[in-house]
Short mmCIF file of all heavy atoms in Angstrom, two decimals:
data_model
loop_
_atom_site.label_atom_id
_atom_site.label_comp_id
_atom_site.label_asym_id
_atom_site.label_seq_id
_atom_site.Cartn_x
_atom_site.Cartn_y
_atom_site.Cartn_z
N TYR A 1142 -85.06 10.70 -205.59
CA TYR A 1142 -85.78 10.05 -204.50
C TYR A 1142 -85.30 10.54 -203.15
O TYR A 1142 -86.11 10.95 -202.30
CB TYR A 1142 -85.65 8.52 -204.59
CG TYR A 1142 -86.71 7.82 -203.77
CD1 TYR A 1142 -87.92 7.46 -204.37
CD2 TYR A 1142 -86.54 7.55 -202.42
CE1 TYR A 1142 -88.91 6.84 -203.62
CE2 TYR A 1142 -87.52 6.93 -201.67
CZ TYR A 1142 -88.71 6.58 -202.27
OH TYR A 1142 -89.70 5.99 -201.53
N GLU A 1143 -83.98 10.52 -202.93
CA GLU A 1143 -83.51 10.96 -201.61
C GLU A 1143 -83.70 12.45 -201.40
O GLU A 1143 -83.73 12.93 -200.26
CB GLU A 1143 -82.04 10.57 -201.39
CG GLU A 1143 -81.04 11.22 -202.31
CD GLU A 1143 -80.62 10.30 -203.44
OE1 GLU A 1143 -81.49 9.55 -203.91
OE2 GLU A 1143 -79.44 10.33 -203.82
N PHE A 1144 -83.86 13.22 -202.50
CA PHE A 1144 -84.16 14.64 -202.37
C PHE A 1144 -85.67 14.89 -202.19
O PHE A 1144 -86.08 16.03 -201.95
CB PHE A 1144 -83.67 15.41 -203.59
CG PHE A 1144 -82.15 15.48 -203.70
CD1 PHE A 1144 -81.55 15.93 -204.86
CD2 PHE A 1144 -81.34 15.09 -202.64
CE1 PHE A 1144 -80.16 15.99 -204.96
CE2 PHE A 1144 -79.96 15.15 -202.74
CZ PHE A 1144 -79.36 15.60 -203.90
N GLY A 1145 -86.47 13.85 -202.35
CA GLY A 1145 -87.91 13.99 -202.16
C GLY A 1145 -88.60 14.79 -203.25
O GLY A 1145 -89.71 15.31 -203.05
N LEU A 1146 -87.99 14.88 -204.44
CA LEU A 1146 -88.61 15.62 -205.54
C LEU A 1146 -89.82 14.83 -206.03
O LEU A 1146 -89.74 13.64 -206.30
CB LEU A 1146 -87.61 15.82 -206.67
CG LEU A 1146 -86.31 16.55 -206.26
CD1 LEU A 1146 -85.38 16.69 -207.45
CD2 LEU A 1146 -86.62 17.90 -205.65
N ASN A 1147 -90.94 15.51 -206.19
CA ASN A 1147 -92.16 14.76 -206.49
C ASN A 1147 -93.19 15.56 -207.28
O ASN A 1147 -94.39 15.30 -207.19
CB ASN A 1147 -92.80 14.27 -205.19
CG ASN A 1147 -93.23 15.39 -204.26
OD1 ASN A 1147 -92.82 16.54 -204.44
ND2 ASN A 1147 -94.05 15.08 -203.27
N GLN A 1148 -92.74 16.53 -208.08
CA GLN A 1148 -93.70 17.29 -208.90
C GLN A 1148 -93.99 16.51 -210.17
O GLN A 1148 -93.09 16.26 -210.98
CB GLN A 1148 -93.14 18.67 -209.25
CG GLN A 1148 -94.13 19.52 -210.03
CD GLN A 1148 -93.58 20.89 -210.38
OE1 GLN A 1148 -92.49 21.26 -209.95
NE2 GLN A 1148 -94.34 21.66 -211.16
N PRO A 1149 -95.25 16.13 -210.38
CA PRO A 1149 -95.58 15.32 -211.56
C PRO A 1149 -95.91 16.18 -212.78
O PRO A 1149 -96.22 17.37 -212.65
CB PRO A 1149 -96.81 14.54 -211.11
CG PRO A 1149 -97.51 15.49 -210.17
CD PRO A 1149 -96.41 16.27 -209.48
N MET A 1150 -95.85 15.54 -213.92
CA MET A 1150 -96.40 16.15 -215.13
C MET A 1150 -97.91 16.25 -214.99
O MET A 1150 -98.54 15.38 -214.38
CB MET A 1150 -96.06 15.30 -216.35
CG MET A 1150 -94.60 15.34 -216.74
SD MET A 1150 -94.20 16.79 -217.74
CE MET A 1150 -95.02 16.39 -219.29
N PRO A 1151 -98.53 17.27 -215.52
CA PRO A 1151 -99.99 17.35 -215.47
C PRO A 1151 -100.63 16.12 -216.11
O PRO A 1151 -100.26 15.72 -217.22
CB PRO A 1151 -100.31 18.62 -216.26
CG PRO A 1151 -99.06 19.44 -216.18
CD PRO A 1151 -97.93 18.45 -216.17
N THR A 1152 -101.53 15.50 -215.39
CA THR A 1152 -102.32 14.34 -215.84
C THR A 1152 -101.46 13.09 -216.06
O THR A 1152 -101.94 12.11 -216.62
CB THR A 1152 -103.10 14.64 -217.13
OG1 THR A 1152 -102.19 14.72 -218.25
CG2 THR A 1152 -103.90 15.91 -217.01
N LYS A 1153 -100.18 13.10 -215.64
CA LYS A 1153 -99.33 11.94 -215.85
C LYS A 1153 -98.62 11.55 -214.55
O LYS A 1153 -98.30 12.41 -213.73
CB LYS A 1153 -98.27 12.21 -216.92
CG LYS A 1153 -98.82 12.38 -218.32
CD LYS A 1153 -97.68 12.57 -219.32
CE LYS A 1153 -98.21 12.72 -220.74
NZ LYS A 1153 -97.10 12.87 -221.72
N GLU A 1154 -98.38 10.25 -214.40
CA GLU A 1154 -97.65 9.74 -213.23
C GLU A 1154 -96.16 9.68 -213.55
O GLU A 1154 -95.54 8.63 -213.49
CB GLU A 1154 -98.17 8.36 -212.83
CG GLU A 1154 -99.59 8.36 -212.30
CD GLU A 1154 -100.03 6.99 -211.85
OE1 GLU A 1154 -99.17 6.10 -211.66
OE2 GLU A 1154 -101.24 6.78 -211.68
N GLU A 1155 -95.59 10.83 -213.91
CA GLU A 1155 -94.16 10.88 -214.17
C GLU A 1155 -93.64 12.26 -213.82
O GLU A 1155 -94.40 13.21 -213.65
CB GLU A 1155 -93.84 10.53 -215.62
CG GLU A 1155 -94.48 11.43 -216.64
CD GLU A 1155 -94.20 10.95 -218.07
OE1 GLU A 1155 -94.66 9.87 -218.43
OE2 GLU A 1155 -93.52 11.70 -218.81
N TYR A 1156 -92.32 12.36 -213.69
CA TYR A 1156 -91.71 13.60 -213.20
C TYR A 1156 -91.78 14.71 -214.25
O TYR A 1156 -91.55 14.47 -215.45
CB TYR A 1156 -90.25 13.34 -212.83
CG TYR A 1156 -90.06 12.46 -211.62
CD1 TYR A 1156 -89.96 11.08 -211.76
CD2 TYR A 1156 -90.00 13.01 -210.34
CE1 TYR A 1156 -89.78 10.26 -210.64
CE2 TYR A 1156 -89.82 12.20 -209.22
CZ TYR A 1156 -89.73 10.83 -209.38
OH TYR A 1156 -89.56 10.03 -208.27
N VAL A 1157 -92.06 15.92 -213.78
CA VAL A 1157 -91.97 17.08 -214.64
C VAL A 1157 -90.49 17.38 -214.88
O VAL A 1157 -89.63 17.03 -214.06
CB VAL A 1157 -92.69 18.29 -214.01
CG1 VAL A 1157 -91.91 18.85 -212.82
CG2 VAL A 1157 -92.95 19.39 -215.04
N ASN A 1158 -90.18 17.98 -216.02
CA ASN A 1158 -88.79 18.23 -216.40
C ASN A 1158 -87.98 16.94 -216.31
O ASN A 1158 -86.91 16.87 -215.70
CB ASN A 1158 -88.16 19.32 -215.51
CG ASN A 1158 -88.87 20.65 -215.65
OD1 ASN A 1158 -89.29 21.03 -216.76
ND2 ASN A 1158 -89.04 21.36 -214.54
N ASN A 1159 -88.54 15.94 -216.94
CA ASN A 1159 -88.02 14.58 -216.81
C ASN A 1159 -86.57 14.50 -217.26
O ASN A 1159 -86.21 14.97 -218.34
CB ASN A 1159 -88.89 13.63 -217.63
CG ASN A 1159 -88.71 12.19 -217.24
OD1 ASN A 1159 -87.60 11.66 -217.24
ND2 ASN A 1159 -89.81 11.53 -216.89
N GLU A 1160 -85.76 13.86 -216.42
CA GLU A 1160 -84.34 13.72 -216.70
C GLU A 1160 -84.07 12.86 -217.93
O GLU A 1160 -82.96 12.88 -218.47
CB GLU A 1160 -83.65 13.14 -215.47
CG GLU A 1160 -82.16 13.34 -215.45
CD GLU A 1160 -81.53 12.92 -214.13
OE1 GLU A 1160 -82.28 12.50 -213.22
OE2 GLU A 1160 -80.29 13.01 -214.02
N LYS A 1161 -85.07 12.13 -218.39
CA LYS A 1161 -84.90 11.35 -219.61
C LYS A 1161 -84.60 12.24 -220.81
O LYS A 1161 -84.02 11.77 -221.80
CB LYS A 1161 -86.16 10.53 -219.90
CG LYS A 1161 -86.38 9.34 -219.01
CD LYS A 1161 -87.68 8.64 -219.34
CE LYS A 1161 -87.72 8.14 -220.76
NZ LYS A 1161 -88.96 7.40 -221.07
N TYR A 1162 -85.02 13.50 -220.75
CA TYR A 1162 -84.93 14.36 -221.93
C TYR A 1162 -84.05 15.58 -221.73
O TYR A 1162 -83.94 16.40 -222.64
CB TYR A 1162 -86.35 14.81 -222.33
CG TYR A 1162 -87.29 13.66 -222.55
CD1 TYR A 1162 -88.24 13.33 -221.58
CD2 TYR A 1162 -87.22 12.89 -223.70
CE1 TYR A 1162 -89.10 12.26 -221.78
CE2 TYR A 1162 -88.08 11.82 -223.90
CZ TYR A 1162 -89.02 11.50 -222.93
OH TYR A 1162 -89.86 10.44 -223.11
N GLN A 1163 -83.43 15.73 -220.58
CA GLN A 1163 -82.62 16.92 -220.36
C GLN A 1163 -81.58 16.67 -219.28
O GLN A 1163 -81.70 15.74 -218.48
CB GLN A 1163 -83.50 18.11 -219.95
CG GLN A 1163 -84.23 17.92 -218.62
CD GLN A 1163 -85.25 19.02 -218.37
OE1 GLN A 1163 -86.36 19.00 -218.90
NE2 GLN A 1163 -84.86 20.00 -217.55
N LEU A 1164 -80.54 17.50 -219.31
CA LEU A 1164 -79.52 17.45 -218.27
C LEU A 1164 -80.06 18.07 -216.99
O LEU A 1164 -80.88 18.98 -217.03
CB LEU A 1164 -78.28 18.23 -218.70
CG LEU A 1164 -77.42 17.68 -219.84
CD1 LEU A 1164 -76.26 18.64 -220.09
CD2 LEU A 1164 -76.90 16.30 -219.50
N HIS A 1165 -79.59 17.54 -215.86
CA HIS A 1165 -79.88 18.17 -214.57
C HIS A 1165 -78.57 18.34 -213.83
O HIS A 1165 -77.63 17.55 -213.99
CB HIS A 1165 -80.83 17.29 -213.73
CG HIS A 1165 -82.27 17.51 -214.05
ND1 HIS A 1165 -83.06 18.41 -213.38
CD2 HIS A 1165 -83.08 16.92 -214.96
CE1 HIS A 1165 -84.29 18.38 -213.87
NE2 HIS A 1165 -84.33 17.47 -214.83
N HIS A 1166 -78.53 19.36 -213.02
CA HIS A 1166 -77.39 19.53 -212.13
C HIS A 1166 -77.88 19.30 -210.71
O HIS A 1166 -78.86 19.90 -210.26
CB HIS A 1166 -76.79 20.93 -212.25
CG HIS A 1166 -75.67 21.15 -211.28
ND1 HIS A 1166 -75.83 21.86 -210.11
CD2 HIS A 1166 -74.38 20.71 -211.28
CE1 HIS A 1166 -74.70 21.87 -209.44
NE2 HIS A 1166 -73.80 21.18 -210.13
N TRP A 1167 -77.21 18.39 -209.99
CA TRP A 1167 -77.62 18.04 -208.63
C TRP A 1167 -76.55 18.45 -207.63
O TRP A 1167 -75.35 18.42 -207.93
CB TRP A 1167 -77.83 16.52 -208.51
CG TRP A 1167 -78.78 15.93 -209.49
CD1 TRP A 1167 -78.49 15.09 -210.52
CD2 TRP A 1167 -80.20 16.12 -209.54
NE1 TRP A 1167 -79.62 14.74 -211.21
CE2 TRP A 1167 -80.69 15.36 -210.63
CE3 TRP A 1167 -81.11 16.87 -208.78
CZ2 TRP A 1167 -82.04 15.32 -210.97
CZ3 TRP A 1167 -82.46 16.83 -209.11
CH2 TRP A 1167 -82.91 16.06 -210.19
N ASP A 1168 -77.02 18.81 -206.44
CA ASP A 1168 -76.11 19.05 -205.33
C ASP A 1168 -75.86 17.69 -204.66
O ASP A 1168 -76.57 17.30 -203.73
CB ASP A 1168 -76.72 20.04 -204.34
CG ASP A 1168 -75.82 20.29 -203.13
OD1 ASP A 1168 -74.67 19.77 -203.13
OD2 ASP A 1168 -76.26 20.98 -202.19
N TRP A 1169 -74.87 16.98 -205.15
CA TRP A 1169 -74.63 15.62 -204.69
C TRP A 1169 -74.16 15.56 -203.24
O TRP A 1169 -74.15 14.48 -202.63
CB TRP A 1169 -73.60 14.94 -205.59
CG TRP A 1169 -74.11 14.67 -206.97
CD1 TRP A 1169 -73.92 15.44 -208.08
CD2 TRP A 1169 -74.92 13.56 -207.39
NE1 TRP A 1169 -74.54 14.87 -209.17
CE2 TRP A 1169 -75.17 13.72 -208.77
CE3 TRP A 1169 -75.46 12.45 -206.74
CZ2 TRP A 1169 -75.92 12.81 -209.51
CZ3 TRP A 1169 -76.22 11.54 -207.47
CH2 TRP A 1169 -76.44 11.73 -208.83
N ASN A 1170 -73.78 16.68 -202.65
CA ASN A 1170 -73.35 16.69 -201.25
C ASN A 1170 -74.52 16.90 -200.28
O ASN A 1170 -74.33 16.85 -199.07
CB ASN A 1170 -72.31 17.80 -201.03
CG ASN A 1170 -71.03 17.54 -201.79
OD1 ASN A 1170 -70.55 16.42 -201.84
ND2 ASN A 1170 -70.49 18.59 -202.40
N ARG A 1171 -75.68 17.10 -200.83
CA ARG A 1171 -76.85 17.40 -199.99
C ARG A 1171 -77.28 16.17 -199.20
O ARG A 1171 -77.39 15.08 -199.74
CB ARG A 1171 -77.98 17.90 -200.89
CG ARG A 1171 -79.27 18.20 -200.16
CD ARG A 1171 -80.32 18.62 -201.18
NE ARG A 1171 -81.65 18.74 -200.60
CZ ARG A 1171 -82.77 18.83 -201.31
NH1 ARG A 1171 -82.70 18.83 -202.64
NH2 ARG A 1171 -83.93 18.92 -200.71
N LYS A 1172 -77.53 16.36 -197.90
CA LYS A 1172 -78.05 15.31 -197.04
C LYS A 1172 -79.51 15.61 -196.71
O LYS A 1172 -79.87 16.77 -196.47
CB LYS A 1172 -77.25 15.22 -195.74
CG LYS A 1172 -75.77 14.88 -195.93
CD LYS A 1172 -75.57 13.42 -196.27
CE LYS A 1172 -74.09 13.06 -196.25
NZ LYS A 1172 -73.86 11.64 -196.60
N THR A 1173 -80.32 14.60 -196.67
CA THR A 1173 -81.73 14.78 -196.35
C THR A 1173 -82.18 13.72 -195.36
O THR A 1173 -81.49 12.72 -195.11
CB THR A 1173 -82.61 14.67 -197.61
OG1 THR A 1173 -82.60 13.30 -198.07
CG2 THR A 1173 -82.12 15.59 -198.73
N ARG A 1174 -83.34 13.94 -194.81
CA ARG A 1174 -83.96 12.95 -193.93
C ARG A 1174 -84.12 11.61 -194.64
O ARG A 1174 -83.91 10.54 -194.06
CB ARG A 1174 -85.32 13.50 -193.47
CG ARG A 1174 -86.18 12.57 -192.65
CD ARG A 1174 -87.46 13.32 -192.28
NE ARG A 1174 -88.44 12.43 -191.65
CZ ARG A 1174 -89.72 12.37 -191.99
NH1 ARG A 1174 -90.17 13.15 -192.97
NH2 ARG A 1174 -90.54 11.56 -191.36
N ILE A 1175 -84.46 11.68 -195.93
CA ILE A 1175 -84.66 10.45 -196.69
C ILE A 1175 -83.33 9.75 -196.94
O ILE A 1175 -83.22 8.53 -196.79
CB ILE A 1175 -85.38 10.76 -198.02
CG1 ILE A 1175 -86.74 11.41 -197.75
CG2 ILE A 1175 -85.55 9.49 -198.84
CD1 ILE A 1175 -87.43 11.92 -199.00
#
């Protein structure tokens, strides 16, 4: 959310490459407007 990631799955109201099913690596030091 604070990174503003918003790419949906085709035809679905959910995130593509959903974190429910895979590991993600985040830049936790990143600051954003959000």
